[in-house]
């Protein structure tokens, strides 16, 4: 059952902190979901939600809302209009750290990308699609007051910002009295000691904080900074490389590692780090181009399949040696476009390329089976379908049309009983599915 406290936390953000929501997204489904959730579940009016579709629009909206004294919760897509927003996320959190909360919207992504988002400053991450209850919970965890510890941490940070490290150290000590070995408390204490010139004591506090939270990157960053300030490049690199293992997609850090090795006179290791930085940056750029070409291809699918094919090929060619499992959907779309044009053999060639990336993908074997069926190669169609169902026995649950297609292949191959079974499965999923009823009657199994 949904925790009512989450509802109250979100309402208090709006009522007590003059909170508003800024959505930087062209995803109409998420925008509608947010507005509907706030209105229906929390009775928070639409006027608290501001939508912008561009980075320029966001800057303008933030400026206007800040002048009115609003606390902002900004929802921002990880990729906006084909562009990665990592630099924007970093900028927002460095320039408006205490004035806004930042929630990144994304689809399913690898762990390394999520770690990088947190490192850049994301207060929370939402993986779409999201249910209303989970959306409320995510907002609540982002904005809710954090109790006495949170207040002391805020007090300590404010003292540091105002140039009063002694007061910051007192706040840190209170945090540690309440929660011994608190990584956040130790980090605050380290910052206060560092500001007072007590660098050795600060290093001890950072080290203790790092030991208490292995995935808390800030202590390692602070230790690396201390070593850099001391001119101890060897130790700086050691901690930068530890950070790199935890969050391997940070391009700037790889450049820092390379620069460190240049200082040490190790050009080979420097080049390795620099090449990794260039590879990640190149992949990000190529991903953006690929997304644009795919978007064009999707728009052309129904009316201009040949043009869609052209742009899907371009999307894949753009990524060349960087193809991975995320490209399987593009191959599937390209195969579909080719089959719509009667080019079933070309479609099979593309599916085979995809199998090199994902050799145990039942969906790919199914698609190859369908292409062979369209080419009236029923023995091959059966063989690939058999492999598809071995890899994914629940493939039929995808929909009644898939059940019907499976039944058709079995029938063509002379296997009447499994054909009947899958036609019945189709009718389980959709009792009114006429094509399944018709084929059952044709086989002599009509009801």
């Amino acid at each position: 059952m949904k925790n009512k406290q989450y509802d109250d936390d979100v309402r208090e953000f709006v009522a007590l902190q003059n909170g508003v929501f800024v959505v930087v997204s062209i995803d109409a489904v998420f925008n509608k979901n947010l507005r509907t959730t706030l209105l229906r579940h929390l009775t928070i009016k639409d006027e608290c939600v501001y939508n912008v579709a561009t980075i320029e629009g966001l800057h303008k909206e933030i400026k206007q809302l800040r002048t009115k004294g609003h606390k902002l919760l900004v929802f921002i897509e990880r990729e906006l209009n084909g562009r990665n927003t990592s630099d924007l996320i970093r900028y927002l959190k460095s320039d408006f750290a205490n004035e806004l909360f930042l929630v990144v919207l994304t689809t399913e992504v690898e762990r390394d990308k999520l770690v990088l988002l947190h490192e850049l400053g994301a207060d929370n991450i939402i993986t779409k699609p999201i249910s209303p209850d989970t959306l409320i919970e995510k907002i609540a965890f982002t904005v809710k007051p954090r109790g006495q510890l949170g207040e002391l941490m805020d007090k300590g940070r404010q003292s540091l910002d105002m140039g009063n490290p002694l007061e910051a150290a007192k706040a840190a000590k209170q945090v540690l009295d309440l929660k011994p070995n608190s990584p956040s408390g130790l980090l605050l204490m380290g910052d206060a000691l560092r500001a007072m010139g007590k660098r050795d004591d600060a290093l001890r506090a950072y080290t203790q904080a790092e030991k208490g939270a292995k995935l808390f990157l800030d202590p390692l960053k602070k230790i690396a900074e201390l070593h850099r300030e001391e001119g101890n490049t060897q130790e700086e690199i050691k901690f930068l490389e530890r950070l790199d293992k935890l969050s391997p997609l940070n391009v700037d850090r790889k450049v820092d590692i390379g620069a460190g090795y240049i200082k040490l006179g190790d050009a080979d290791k420097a080049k390795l780090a620099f090449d990794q930085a260039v590879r990640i940056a190149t992949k990000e750029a190529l991903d953006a181009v690929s997304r644009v070409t795919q978007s064009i291809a999707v728009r052309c699918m129904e009316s201009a399949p040949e043009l869609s094919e052209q742009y899907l090929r371009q999307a894949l060619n753009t990524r060349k040696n960087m193809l991975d499992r995320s490209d399987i959907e593009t191959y599937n779309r390209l195969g579909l476009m080719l089959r719509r044009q009667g080019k079933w053999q070309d479609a099979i060639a593309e599916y085979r390329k995809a199998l090199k990336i994902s050799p145990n993908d039942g969906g790919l074997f199914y698609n190859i089976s369908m292409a062979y069926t369209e080419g009236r190669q029923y023995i091959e169609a059966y063989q690939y379908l058999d492999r598809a169902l071995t890899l994914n026995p629940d493939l039929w649950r995808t929909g009644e049309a898939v059940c019907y297609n499976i039944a058709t292949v079995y029938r063509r191959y002379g296997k009447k009983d499994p054909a009947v079974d899958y036609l019945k499965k189709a009718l389980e999923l959709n009792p009114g599915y006429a094509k399944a009823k018709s084929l059952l009657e044709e086989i002599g199994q009509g009801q």
Side-chain angles (χ1 to χ4, degrees), residues 135 153 198 293 391:
L135 179 56
M153 287 295 300
K198 299 181 179 180
T293 49
L391 288 167

Side-chain angles (χ1 to χ4, degrees), residues 186-251:
L186 287 164
L187 194 68
L188 177 60
M189 180 63 81
D191 287 348
L193 292 166
R194 183 176 167 190
M196 287 189 275
K198 299 181 179 180
R199 305 177 71 82
D200 290 342
D201 293 335
L203 182 58
R204 277 192 286 273
Y206 292 148
T207 303
Q208 194 177 343
E210 188 270 325
K211 286 177 180 174
K214 294 299 181 188
L215 283 177
F216 188 24
L217 303 185
D218 285 354
L220 288 173
K221 289 183 184 178
K222 301 285 187 180
I223 294 170
E225 285 171 13
L226 270 179
H227 287 305
R228 181 169 64 250
E229 289 167 7
E230 296 285 352
N232 192 344
T233 306
Q234 191 82 50
E235 284 297 301
E236 179 196 353
I237 289 175
K238 184 173 86 174
F239 284 95
L240 287 175
E241 287 183 333
R242 284 180 62 186
L243 281 162
D244 191 54
K245 285 182 180 176
L246 292 170
S247 180
L249 298 181
N250 189 316
V251 174

